[in-house]
Amino acid sequence: MKTIEWIGDSAGHLRLLDQTALPLETKFIDCETTKDLFDAIRRLSVRGAPAIGVSAAYGVLLGLRDIAEGDRKSFDTTFFEVSDYLAESRPTAVNLFWALDRLKKLVKHESELSPLQMRERLLKEAIAIDTEDQEMCAAMGRFGAELIPEGAGVLTHCNTGSLATAGDGTALSVIFAAHEQGKNIHVYADETRPLLQGARLTAWELMQRNVPSTLICDSMAAWVMKQGKVQVIITGSDRIASNGDAANKIGTYGLSVLAKAHGIPFYVAAPSSTFDFEIESGEEIPIEQRDSKEITIGFGKQTAPDGMKTYNPAFDVAPAENITALITERGVIQPVTKQNIAALLNRES
Amino acid sequence: MKTIEWIGDSAGHLRLLDQTALPLETKFIDCETTKDLFDAIRRLSVRGAPAIGVSAAYGVLLGLRDIAEGDRKSFDTTFFEVSDYLAESRPTAVNLFWALDRLKKLVKHESELSPLQMRERLLKEAIAIDTEDQEMCAAMGRFGAELIPEGAGVLTHCNTGSLATAGDGTALSVIFAAHEQGKNIHVYADETRPLLQGARLTAWELMQRNVPSTLICDSMAAWVMKQGKVQVIITGSDRIASNGDAANKIGTYGLSVLAKAHGIPFYVAAPSSTFDFEIESGEEIPIEQRDSKEITIGFGKQTAPDGMKTYNPAFDVAPAENITALITERGVIQPVTKQNIAALLNRES
């Protein structure tokens, strides 16, 4: 089942699996305009940093459906407007900016192409981003699976699987790979309040792939660790700073502290596109604050009094010193230092 | 607002705040029969171990409304029937048995009284149990408030206030006392999955008392600590072992580890009746496992796939070494050692 699919030629449209309807319904959304996609990203119908990046790459084409043949000036203006608009949909997702920047460079570089040729070229690039993402997931799975011991209890947070990427995922790709290698692992999936991506999406993916697993509330993770049921913790990341500080779904920071306190290795799996070399540390990562209702009206039922204040950060940051290793599609970075990160990912201009 | 109130003379009735209607409605239940009360306890309209004990003490009077003057034999038969019936309402609530046993002893001891005199005497005793509970709450509040610095951020978990006791509560009593002393505190209340007592009940109590406060998901507590917003963590407890290990709502253990990692004092407020000197350590405390549906259908809406396994412990245990001090109605125990606990609470009596 494809989570993100471009339908038709370069004037086609984008079909997304509506993640807000899972696990009860398997429903698709057809995005015909960039606003359709912007809204889908905002309400988390598509989510997960790599999936957002791939969606946005296809998404710019939605803003170019009406372009006419002629000179490139008005095409380029429209393209940059569309890109800037989509870049606003999720402020923390670095893959979003990365994908859009890749297209922007291309548009600047391929100035000889006509508008329609340029649109064809952009579709080709979006497909390349999609395919590369699938390959990156597979590579992270291979590298990461070596870190999962036979018989391990593996705790994970949020959703980092085929619903979060174009391929098998980041942290879940590692879990799937270990499972497929025949390692007798058992997964503990945090439900991940407020939006329950763990309960709704990760549990669904784990069941789809027949990986033995148990769903817990976020508040139970520490107790599961204390009881010796967890040998490895692995999460994804939305943005990793030069020093290795990794932003991820709220709750990840706490898990990294608890992992350290219990002597459990804490791994973060993320493709190289997640690394943001423009920032030195996690302190520079802006944290998106989300609507109070996600906490007070969980799934259609009001559970807190009217007027109760909330604090609802979408992300937090696990500091590099709490991360045992970073798992990328190019290999494993351990220990997590600025030098080791740069050495593997090799900035490249 | 009284959560539990006896209305009228010894042939009167019991008025309870219906906690199942909170936070959306403030609704009272008038219990005219012991069955009314039994049902109210069963469906958690009244909850919290001390609150259940006080309700049951008043509740026996509901079964004695039709008694006539005469010899004590038939009075006593009815009394014991009523007591045994109420004892079945929550088979795990220790305070329930404790309150009923106290009345039983009295009935056996005061054999000279006439039925109507005995009923008067029982009302007096129920009022005493109620008043003593209020005094214990107030004493914990006084002792505990000294530990809350001016301007502190105070994080709490689950519900430990006037809805759980006849008075101001345990941990919340400390918070209310500090607030009423004019200390400029700000409370962070964990929503407390799976049953959301923090969102539904604690948030409601904090708003009723105008205590500045913010509701967060359990997974956000660590990040709030990391940002320096929390200077004190305080919870209640359901059972404390001789060595100071304290069982409490699931999530408490994790908070105690996070508190230690962030250098934040972690306090547990509980009356002396919570201490169980029959057990040496927390390892002897049985942990109740609850229904999977609390996690998978937690908001009246199914949020996990059919057939997903869960782990749903109702409690965990904060080890004594993570607890900065225990706050009781007799004073503060710090550091938390078996010797200090025994010295203050002085077994026996």
mmCIF file of all heavy atoms in Angstrom, chain B residues 48-94:
data_model
loop_
_atom_site.group_PDB
_atom_site.id
_atom_site.type_symbol
_atom_site.label_atom_id
_atom_site.label_comp_id
_atom_site.label_asym_id
_atom_site.label_seq_id
_atom_site.Cartn_x
_atom_site.Cartn_y
_atom_site.Cartn_z
ATOM 1 N N GLY B 48 -11.380 7.672 45.190
ATOM 2 C CA GLY B 48 -10.326 8.152 46.081
ATOM 3 C C GLY B 48 -10.533 7.419 47.401
ATOM 4 O O GLY B 48 -11.607 7.499 48.003
ATOM 5 N N ALA B 49 -9.508 6.690 47.842
ATOM 6 C CA ALA B 49 -9.672 5.803 48.997
ATOM 7 C C ALA B 49 -10.239 6.511 50.232
ATOM 8 O O ALA B 49 -11.221 6.026 50.819
ATOM 9 C CB ALA B 49 -8.348 5.109 49.294
ATOM 10 N N PRO B 50 -9.715 7.660 50.661
ATOM 11 C CA PRO B 50 -10.277 8.298 51.861
ATOM 12 C C PRO B 50 -11.729 8.733 51.642
ATOM 13 O O PRO B 50 -12.572 8.596 52.540
ATOM 14 C CB PRO B 50 -9.373 9.513 52.083
ATOM 15 C CG PRO B 50 -8.105 9.209 51.350
ATOM 16 C CD PRO B 50 -8.527 8.394 50.178
ATOM 17 N N ALA B 51 -12.053 9.228 50.463
ATOM 18 C CA ALA B 51 -13.418 9.676 50.176
ATOM 19 C C ALA B 51 -14.397 8.510 50.239
ATOM 20 O O ALA B 51 -15.521 8.644 50.736
ATOM 21 C CB ALA B 51 -13.472 10.352 48.802
ATOM 22 N N ILE B 52 -13.968 7.351 49.767
ATOM 23 C CA ILE B 52 -14.828 6.166 49.821
ATOM 24 C C ILE B 52 -15.055 5.753 51.278
ATOM 25 O O ILE B 52 -16.173 5.409 51.677
ATOM 26 C CB ILE B 52 -14.209 4.994 49.013
ATOM 27 C CG1 ILE B 52 -14.280 5.320 47.522
ATOM 28 C CG2 ILE B 52 -14.926 3.672 49.315
ATOM 29 C CD1 ILE B 52 -13.497 4.337 46.651
ATOM 30 N N GLY B 53 -14.014 5.821 52.092
ATOM 31 C CA GLY B 53 -14.136 5.477 53.514
ATOM 32 C C GLY B 53 -15.141 6.373 54.224
ATOM 33 O O GLY B 53 -16.028 5.896 54.944
ATOM 34 N N VAL B 54 -15.038 7.666 54.005
ATOM 35 C CA VAL B 54 -15.940 8.624 54.654
ATOM 36 C C VAL B 54 -17.384 8.414 54.164
ATOM 37 O O VAL B 54 -18.334 8.385 54.957
ATOM 38 C CB VAL B 54 -15.469 10.081 54.388
ATOM 39 C CG1 VAL B 54 -16.502 11.091 54.876
ATOM 40 C CG2 VAL B 54 -14.113 10.333 55.056
ATOM 41 N N SER B 55 -17.542 8.215 52.865
ATOM 42 C CA SER B 55 -18.882 7.990 52.310
ATOM 43 C C SER B 55 -19.528 6.756 52.921
ATOM 44 O O SER B 55 -20.721 6.757 53.239
ATOM 45 C CB SER B 55 -18.807 7.775 50.791
ATOM 46 O OG SER B 55 -18.219 8.872 50.174
ATOM 47 N N ALA B 56 -18.741 5.694 53.062
ATOM 48 C CA ALA B 56 -19.283 4.448 53.599
ATOM 49 C C ALA B 56 -19.679 4.611 55.061
ATOM 50 O O ALA B 56 -20.681 4.041 55.517
ATOM 51 C CB ALA B 56 -18.270 3.321 53.445
ATOM 52 N N ALA B 57 -18.895 5.408 55.809
ATOM 53 C CA ALA B 57 -19.223 5.638 57.222
ATOM 54 C C ALA B 57 -20.596 6.301 57.333
ATOM 55 O O ALA B 57 -21.441 5.889 58.139
ATOM 56 C CB ALA B 57 -18.146 6.510 57.871
ATOM 57 N N TYR B 58 -20.843 7.309 56.510
ATOM 58 C CA TYR B 58 -22.176 7.923 56.486
ATOM 59 C C TYR B 58 -23.198 6.942 55.914
ATOM 60 O O TYR B 58 -24.351 6.884 56.342
ATOM 61 C CB TYR B 58 -22.178 9.192 55.622
ATOM 62 C CG TYR B 58 -21.522 10.398 56.253
ATOM 63 C CD1 TYR B 58 -20.459 11.039 55.628
ATOM 64 C CD2 TYR B 58 -21.993 10.910 57.469
ATOM 65 C CE1 TYR B 58 -19.860 12.164 56.185
ATOM 66 C CE2 TYR B 58 -21.402 12.038 58.034
ATOM 67 C CZ TYR B 58 -20.335 12.660 57.391
ATOM 68 O OH TYR B 58 -19.763 13.763 57.950
ATOM 69 N N GLY B 59 -22.746 6.169 54.941
ATOM 70 C CA GLY B 59 -23.661 5.304 54.192
ATOM 71 C C GLY B 59 -24.398 4.282 55.034
ATOM 72 O O GLY B 59 -25.553 3.962 54.739
ATOM 73 N N VAL B 60 -23.767 3.788 56.088
ATOM 74 C CA VAL B 60 -24.458 2.781 56.915
ATOM 75 C C VAL B 60 -25.731 3.367 57.514
ATOM 76 O O VAL B 60 -26.723 2.655 57.713
ATOM 77 C CB VAL B 60 -23.574 2.193 58.044
ATOM 78 C CG1 VAL B 60 -22.438 1.367 57.480
ATOM 79 C CG2 VAL B 60 -23.037 3.276 58.955
ATOM 80 N N LEU B 61 -25.736 4.673 57.776
ATOM 81 C CA LEU B 61 -26.923 5.320 58.351
ATOM 82 C C LEU B 61 -28.124 5.246 57.408
ATOM 83 O O LEU B 61 -29.278 5.239 57.848
ATOM 84 C CB LEU B 61 -26.616 6.787 58.687
ATOM 85 C CG LEU B 61 -25.634 6.966 59.848
ATOM 86 C CD1 LEU B 61 -25.006 8.350 59.813
ATOM 87 C CD2 LEU B 61 -26.339 6.738 61.190
ATOM 88 N N LEU B 62 -27.818 5.192 56.100
ATOM 89 C CA LEU B 62 -28.909 5.101 55.115
ATOM 90 C C LEU B 62 -29.689 3.800 55.278
ATOM 91 O O LEU B 62 -30.881 3.741 54.970
ATOM 92 C CB LEU B 62 -28.355 5.194 53.688
ATOM 93 C CG LEU B 62 -27.649 6.501 53.308
ATOM 94 C CD1 LEU B 62 -27.018 6.373 51.927
ATOM 95 C CD2 LEU B 62 -28.621 7.671 53.348
ATOM 96 N N GLY B 63 -29.017 2.783 55.792
ATOM 97 C CA GLY B 63 -29.680 1.487 56.002
ATOM 98 C C GLY B 63 -30.396 1.406 57.336
ATOM 99 O O GLY B 63 -30.995 0.378 57.666
ATOM 100 N N LEU B 64 -30.295 2.475 58.123
ATOM 101 C CA LEU B 64 -30.857 2.461 59.481
ATOM 102 C C LEU B 64 -31.945 3.526 59.632
ATOM 103 O O LEU B 64 -32.346 3.859 60.747
ATOM 104 C CB LEU B 64 -29.731 2.711 60.500
ATOM 105 C CG LEU B 64 -28.583 1.687 60.485
ATOM 106 C CD1 LEU B 64 -27.412 2.171 61.344
ATOM 107 C CD2 LEU B 64 -29.064 0.323 60.975
ATOM 108 N N ARG B 65 -32.432 4.052 58.508
ATOM 109 C CA ARG B 65 -33.411 5.140 58.579
ATOM 110 C C ARG B 65 -34.761 4.682 59.133
ATOM 111 O O ARG B 65 -35.470 5.453 59.770
ATOM 112 C CB ARG B 65 -33.624 5.759 57.186
ATOM 113 C CG ARG B 65 -32.357 6.400 56.663
ATOM 114 C CD ARG B 65 -32.627 7.616 55.851
ATOM 115 N NE ARG B 65 -33.420 7.337 54.663
ATOM 116 C CZ ARG B 65 -33.625 8.229 53.689
ATOM 117 N NH1 ARG B 65 -33.095 9.439 53.792
ATOM 118 N NH2 ARG B 65 -34.340 7.922 52.638
ATOM 119 N N ASP B 66 -35.124 3.399 58.897
ATOM 120 C CA ASP B 66 -36.451 2.923 59.293
ATOM 121 C C ASP B 66 -36.457 2.198 60.635
ATOM 122 O O ASP B 66 -37.474 1.622 61.019
ATOM 123 C CB ASP B 66 -36.993 1.962 58.224
ATOM 124 C CG ASP B 66 -37.105 2.650 56.879
ATOM 125 O OD1 ASP B 66 -37.348 3.879 56.863
ATOM 126 O OD2 ASP B 66 -36.931 1.968 55.849
ATOM 127 N N ILE B 67 -35.332 2.199 61.322
ATOM 128 C CA ILE B 67 -35.292 1.421 62.571
ATOM 129 C C ILE B 67 -36.190 2.091 63.619
ATOM 130 O O ILE B 67 -36.388 3.306 63.614
ATOM 131 C CB ILE B 67 -33.860 1.287 63.126
ATOM 132 C CG1 ILE B 67 -33.244 2.681 63.347
ATOM 133 C CG2 ILE B 67 -33.002 0.419 62.251
ATOM 134 C CD1 ILE B 67 -32.992 2.984 64.762
ATOM 135 N N ALA B 68 -36.759 1.221 64.476
ATOM 136 C CA ALA B 68 -37.663 1.713 65.520
ATOM 137 C C ALA B 68 -36.994 1.563 66.871
ATOM 138 O O ALA B 68 -36.052 0.777 67.033
ATOM 139 C CB ALA B 68 -38.963 0.932 65.483
ATOM 140 N N GLU B 69 -37.470 2.312 67.822
ATOM 141 C CA GLU B 69 -36.960 2.169 69.180
ATOM 142 C C GLU B 69 -37.350 0.781 69.683
ATOM 143 O O GLU B 69 -38.345 0.211 69.233
ATOM 144 C CB GLU B 69 -37.570 3.295 70.056
ATOM 145 C CG GLU B 69 -36.779 3.605 71.299
ATOM 146 C CD GLU B 69 -35.298 4.014 71.042
ATOM 147 O OE1 GLU B 69 -34.542 3.183 70.514
ATOM 148 O OE2 GLU B 69 -34.910 5.144 71.399
ATOM 149 N N GLY B 70 -36.567 0.192 70.565
ATOM 150 C CA GLY B 70 -36.872 -1.145 71.065
ATOM 151 C C GLY B 70 -35.578 -1.805 71.494
ATOM 152 O O GLY B 70 -34.637 -1.108 71.886
ATOM 153 N N ASP B 71 -35.476 -3.131 71.374
ATOM 154 C CA ASP B 71 -34.212 -3.737 71.777
ATOM 155 C C ASP B 71 -33.221 -3.678 70.616
ATOM 156 O O ASP B 71 -33.592 -3.409 69.474
ATOM 157 C CB ASP B 71 -34.416 -5.161 72.311
ATOM 158 C CG ASP B 71 -34.475 -6.169 71.210
ATOM 159 O OD1 ASP B 71 -35.555 -6.236 70.553
ATOM 160 O OD2 ASP B 71 -33.450 -6.853 70.952
ATOM 161 N N ARG B 72 -31.929 -3.902 70.928
ATOM 162 C CA ARG B 72 -30.858 -3.672 69.978
ATOM 163 C C ARG B 72 -30.664 -4.805 68.976
ATOM 164 O O ARG B 72 -29.931 -4.657 67.993
ATOM 165 C CB ARG B 72 -29.543 -3.449 70.736
ATOM 166 C CG ARG B 72 -29.346 -2.035 71.229
ATOM 167 C CD ARG B 72 -28.908 -1.115 70.086
ATOM 168 N NE ARG B 72 -27.586 -1.530 69.578
ATOM 169 C CZ ARG B 72 -26.438 -1.198 70.135
ATOM 170 N NH1 ARG B 72 -26.411 -0.397 71.177
ATOM 171 N NH2 ARG B 72 -25.316 -1.633 69.633
ATOM 172 N N LYS B 73 -31.313 -5.960 69.273
ATOM 173 C CA LYS B 73 -30.980 -7.134 68.477
ATOM 174 C C LYS B 73 -31.221 -6.909 66.977
ATOM 175 O O LYS B 73 -30.337 -7.147 66.152
ATOM 176 C CB LYS B 73 -31.785 -8.335 68.970
ATOM 177 C CG LYS B 73 -31.157 -9.622 68.518
ATOM 178 C CD LYS B 73 -31.686 -10.837 69.236
ATOM 179 C CE LYS B 73 -30.993 -12.060 68.640
ATOM 180 N NZ LYS B 73 -31.938 -13.099 68.254
ATOM 181 N N SER B 74 -32.425 -6.460 66.677
ATOM 182 C CA SER B 74 -32.728 -6.295 65.252
ATOM 183 C C SER B 74 -31.946 -5.115 64.666
ATOM 184 O O SER B 74 -31.559 -5.140 63.501
ATOM 185 C CB SER B 74 -34.242 -6.154 65.035
ATOM 186 O OG SER B 74 -34.601 -4.803 64.805
ATOM 187 N N PHE B 75 -31.672 -4.092 65.463
ATOM 188 C CA PHE B 75 -30.831 -2.972 65.018
ATOM 189 C C PHE B 75 -29.458 -3.495 64.602
ATOM 190 O O PHE B 75 -28.952 -3.200 63.516
ATOM 191 C CB PHE B 75 -30.686 -1.937 66.137
ATOM 192 C CG PHE B 75 -29.758 -0.793 65.782
ATOM 193 C CD1 PHE B 75 -30.265 0.393 65.247
ATOM 194 C CD2 PHE B 75 -28.378 -0.902 65.978
ATOM 195 C CE1 PHE B 75 -29.411 1.437 64.904
ATOM 196 C CE2 PHE B 75 -27.519 0.135 65.634
ATOM 197 C CZ PHE B 75 -28.038 1.314 65.105
ATOM 198 N N ASP B 76 -28.858 -4.297 65.514
ATOM 199 C CA ASP B 76 -27.505 -4.794 65.246
ATOM 200 C C ASP B 76 -27.478 -5.671 63.996
ATOM 201 O O ASP B 76 -26.554 -5.577 63.174
ATOM 202 C CB ASP B 76 -26.961 -5.564 66.456
ATOM 203 C CG ASP B 76 -26.585 -4.620 67.600
ATOM 204 O OD1 ASP B 76 -26.975 -3.419 67.523
ATOM 205 O OD2 ASP B 76 -25.923 -5.060 68.554
ATOM 206 N N THR B 77 -28.497 -6.525 63.860
ATOM 207 C CA THR B 77 -28.556 -7.392 62.674
ATOM 208 C C THR B 77 -28.560 -6.544 61.405
ATOM 209 O O THR B 77 -27.788 -6.784 60.471
ATOM 210 C CB THR B 77 -29.832 -8.258 62.722
ATOM 211 O OG1 THR B 77 -29.829 -8.974 63.962
ATOM 212 C CG2 THR B 77 -29.880 -9.230 61.545
ATOM 213 N N THR B 78 -29.436 -5.537 61.399
ATOM 214 C CA THR B 78 -29.508 -4.655 60.228
ATOM 215 C C THR B 78 -28.178 -3.940 59.994
ATOM 216 O O THR B 78 -27.676 -3.871 58.868
ATOM 217 C CB THR B 78 -30.623 -3.599 60.425
ATOM 218 O OG1 THR B 78 -31.833 -4.271 60.721
ATOM 219 C CG2 THR B 78 -30.805 -2.748 59.171
ATOM 220 N N PHE B 79 -27.595 -3.425 61.079
ATOM 221 C CA PHE B 79 -26.329 -2.695 60.951
ATOM 222 C C PHE B 79 -25.250 -3.560 60.289
ATOM 223 O O PHE B 79 -24.551 -3.120 59.368
ATOM 224 C CB PHE B 79 -25.835 -2.214 62.323
ATOM 225 C CG PHE B 79 -24.397 -1.757 62.291
ATOM 226 C CD1 PHE B 79 -24.074 -0.473 61.841
ATOM 227 C CD2 PHE B 79 -23.365 -2.613 62.664
ATOM 228 C CE1 PHE B 79 -22.750 -0.065 61.765
ATOM 229 C CE2 PHE B 79 -22.038 -2.210 62.594
ATOM 230 C CZ PHE B 79 -21.730 -0.930 62.146
ATOM 231 N N PHE B 80 -25.108 -4.809 60.767
ATOM 232 C CA PHE B 80 -24.040 -5.661 60.217
ATOM 233 C C PHE B 80 -24.329 -6.055 58.768
ATOM 234 O O PHE B 80 -23.413 -6.137 57.947
ATOM 235 C CB PHE B 80 -23.800 -6.887 61.116
ATOM 236 C CG PHE B 80 -23.015 -6.521 62.350
ATOM 237 C CD1 PHE B 80 -23.633 -6.405 63.596
ATOM 238 C CD2 PHE B 80 -21.650 -6.243 62.264
ATOM 239 C CE1 PHE B 80 -22.907 -6.030 64.726
ATOM 240 C CE2 PHE B 80 -20.915 -5.874 63.388
ATOM 241 C CZ PHE B 80 -21.541 -5.762 64.623
ATOM 242 N N GLU B 81 -25.633 -6.247 58.469
ATOM 243 C CA GLU B 81 -25.993 -6.538 57.075
ATOM 244 C C GLU B 81 -25.589 -5.374 56.151
ATOM 245 O O GLU B 81 -24.994 -5.574 55.096
ATOM 246 C CB GLU B 81 -27.506 -6.758 56.934
ATOM 247 C CG GLU B 81 -27.947 -8.182 57.240
ATOM 248 C CD GLU B 81 -29.474 -8.277 57.320
ATOM 249 O OE1 GLU B 81 -30.175 -7.316 56.886
ATOM 250 O OE2 GLU B 81 -29.955 -9.296 57.831
ATOM 251 N N VAL B 82 -25.951 -4.183 56.599
ATOM 252 C CA VAL B 82 -25.660 -2.978 55.811
ATOM 253 C C VAL B 82 -24.145 -2.801 55.627
ATOM 254 O O VAL B 82 -23.663 -2.516 54.520
ATOM 255 C CB VAL B 82 -26.274 -1.737 56.507
ATOM 256 C CG1 VAL B 82 -25.715 -0.446 55.919
ATOM 257 C CG2 VAL B 82 -27.783 -1.764 56.400
ATOM 258 N N SER B 83 -23.393 -2.995 56.701
ATOM 259 C CA SER B 83 -21.935 -2.830 56.641
ATOM 260 C C SER B 83 -21.320 -3.829 55.669
ATOM 261 O O SER B 83 -20.463 -3.469 54.853
ATOM 262 C CB SER B 83 -21.305 -3.049 58.018
ATOM 263 O OG SER B 83 -21.852 -2.153 58.940
ATOM 264 N N ASP B 84 -21.759 -5.084 55.778
ATOM 265 C CA ASP B 84 -21.192 -6.114 54.903
ATOM 266 C C ASP B 84 -21.519 -5.817 53.446
ATOM 267 O O ASP B 84 -20.703 -6.046 52.550
ATOM 268 C CB ASP B 84 -21.714 -7.504 55.290
ATOM 269 C CG ASP B 84 -21.143 -7.949 56.638
ATOM 270 O OD1 ASP B 84 -20.184 -7.297 57.121
ATOM 271 O OD2 ASP B 84 -21.659 -8.920 57.214
ATOM 272 N N TYR B 85 -22.726 -5.314 53.233
ATOM 273 C CA TYR B 85 -23.140 -4.968 51.867
ATOM 274 C C TYR B 85 -22.244 -3.860 51.294
ATOM 275 O O TYR B 85 -21.697 -3.983 50.192
ATOM 276 C CB TYR B 85 -24.603 -4.531 51.901
ATOM 277 C CG TYR B 85 -25.133 -3.969 50.602
ATOM 278 C CD1 TYR B 85 -25.293 -4.776 49.479
ATOM 279 C CD2 TYR B 85 -25.481 -2.620 50.504
ATOM 280 C CE1 TYR B 85 -25.790 -4.258 48.289
ATOM 281 C CE2 TYR B 85 -25.976 -2.091 49.324
ATOM 282 C CZ TYR B 85 -26.124 -2.918 48.216
ATOM 283 O OH TYR B 85 -26.607 -2.390 47.045
ATOM 284 N N LEU B 86 -22.032 -2.805 52.070
ATOM 285 C CA LEU B 86 -21.208 -1.687 51.578
ATOM 286 C C LEU B 86 -19.747 -2.092 51.365
ATOM 287 O O LEU B 86 -19.072 -1.576 50.478
ATOM 288 C CB LEU B 86 -21.288 -0.494 52.532
ATOM 289 C CG LEU B 86 -22.572 0.332 52.437
ATOM 290 C CD1 LEU B 86 -22.596 1.409 53.525
ATOM 291 C CD2 LEU B 86 -22.742 0.974 51.054
ATOM 292 N N ALA B 87 -19.278 -3.034 52.182
ATOM 293 C CA ALA B 87 -17.886 -3.485 52.068
ATOM 294 C C ALA B 87 -17.610 -4.131 50.712
ATOM 295 O O ALA B 87 -16.462 -4.206 50.267
ATOM 296 C CB ALA B 87 -17.550 -4.464 53.191
ATOM 297 N N GLU B 88 -18.677 -4.578 50.046
ATOM 298 C CA GLU B 88 -18.515 -5.239 48.751
ATOM 299 C C GLU B 88 -18.360 -4.249 47.600
ATOM 300 O O GLU B 88 -18.106 -4.647 46.463
ATOM 301 C CB GLU B 88 -19.754 -6.106 48.438
ATOM 302 C CG GLU B 88 -20.096 -7.119 49.496
ATOM 303 C CD GLU B 88 -19.500 -8.478 49.163
ATOM 304 O OE1 GLU B 88 -19.871 -9.032 48.124
ATOM 305 O OE2 GLU B 88 -18.653 -8.948 49.941
ATOM 306 N N SER B 89 -18.589 -2.969 47.848
ATOM 307 C CA SER B 89 -18.667 -2.014 46.732
ATOM 308 C C SER B 89 -17.333 -1.817 46.013
ATOM 309 O O SER B 89 -17.279 -1.669 44.808
ATOM 310 C CB SER B 89 -19.212 -0.667 47.222
ATOM 311 O OG SER B 89 -18.397 -0.155 48.251
ATOM 312 N N ARG B 90 -16.248 -1.793 46.755
ATOM 313 C CA ARG B 90 -14.900 -1.677 46.159
ATOM 314 C C ARG B 90 -13.993 -2.619 46.929
ATOM 315 O O ARG B 90 -13.380 -2.209 47.914
ATOM 316 C CB ARG B 90 -14.361 -0.262 46.339
ATOM 317 C CG ARG B 90 -14.504 0.833 45.273
ATOM 318 C CD ARG B 90 -14.453 0.529 43.847
ATOM 319 N NE ARG B 90 -13.177 0.643 43.132
ATOM 320 C CZ ARG B 90 -12.533 1.786 42.868
ATOM 321 N NH1 ARG B 90 -12.991 2.938 43.271
ATOM 322 N NH2 ARG B 90 -11.406 1.780 42.193
ATOM 323 N N PRO B 91 -13.904 -3.863 46.532
ATOM 324 C CA PRO B 91 -13.202 -4.847 47.372
ATOM 325 C C PRO B 91 -11.733 -4.528 47.647
ATOM 326 O O PRO B 91 -11.140 -5.132 48.522
ATOM 327 C CB PRO B 91 -13.363 -6.160 46.600
ATOM 328 C CG PRO B 91 -13.826 -5.783 45.239
ATOM 329 C CD PRO B 91 -14.463 -4.446 45.328
ATOM 330 N N THR B 92 -11.130 -3.588 46.917
ATOM 331 C CA THR B 92 -9.712 -3.294 47.151
ATOM 332 C C THR B 92 -9.466 -2.047 48.003
ATOM 333 O O THR B 92 -8.340 -1.755 48.356
ATOM 334 C CB THR B 92 -8.967 -3.107 45.807
ATOM 335 O OG1 THR B 92 -9.684 -2.160 45.016
ATOM 336 C CG2 THR B 92 -8.858 -4.403 45.052
ATOM 337 N N ALA B 93 -10.519 -1.299 48.323
ATOM 338 C CA ALA B 93 -10.330 -0.024 49.024
ATOM 339 C C ALA B 93 -10.139 -0.231 50.526
ATOM 340 O O ALA B 93 -11.084 -0.478 51.262
ATOM 341 C CB ALA B 93 -11.516 0.902 48.772
ATOM 342 N N VAL B 94 -8.899 -0.107 50.967
ATOM 343 C CA VAL B 94 -8.557 -0.369 52.366
ATOM 344 C C VAL B 94 -9.306 0.563 53.321
ATOM 345 O O VAL B 94 -9.800 0.132 54.367
ATOM 346 C CB VAL B 94 -7.032 -0.231 52.579
ATOM 347 C CG1 VAL B 94 -6.678 -0.251 54.059
ATOM 348 C CG2 VAL B 94 -6.309 -1.346 51.846
#
